[in-house]
Amino acid sequence: MTQKAKELARQLYDETKEHFPEIVFSSIQPHPEQARRFWIKVHASMDEDRRTEMREFVADRATDILIANGYSFAVMVERS
């Protein structure tokens, strides 16, 4: 994982945390089959509506990052 990818992942996590304070960082993992794609894993206790809101927020922001930088990210919730 490059320094730029780490920086972008941290930025996406921080922005997501501002809007969804209940998330707690767990790890960043590379996608097993796709280069330049990463999963930001978080712990959270949230209902399905809140998870949907977060997925929509992350999708919009992750699309911006992909277009501008060529890195793809997803925030994956692991239940707490």
Side-chain angles (χ1 to χ4, degrees):
M1 178 176 221
T2 67
Q3 187 61 33
K4 182 65 174 177
K6 288 179 188 176
E7 197 175 289
L8 291 167
R10 177 52 73 176
Q11 180 182 358
L12 178 57
Y13 170 77
D14 290 345
E15 290 176 19
T16 305
K17 176 83 172 166
E18 283 181 34
H19 290 84
F20 302 90
E22 62 269 36
I23 67 171
V24 177
F25 179 81
S26 177
S27 65
I28 301 171
Q29 296 181 340
H31 190 282
E33 297 173 355
Q34 297 176 2
R36 298 175 66 101
R37 179 159 174 75
F38 300 92
W39 294 328
I40 302 167
K41 295 198 172 190
V42 300
H43 292 284
S45 180
M46 55 176 58
D47 64 24
E48 194 58 38
D49 290 339
R50 187 73 171 156
R51 288 172 67 120
T52 298
E53 288 176 34
M54 189 182 78
R55 279 193 296 268
E56 290 172 359
F57 173 84
V58 169
D60 288 342
R61 187 62 190 107
T63 298
D64 294 341
I65 293 169
L66 177 61
I67 291 167
N69 300 282
Y71 288 97
S72 177
F73 295 97
V75 175
M76 313 292 281
V77 177
E78 300 173 328
R79 294 186 193 254
S80 295

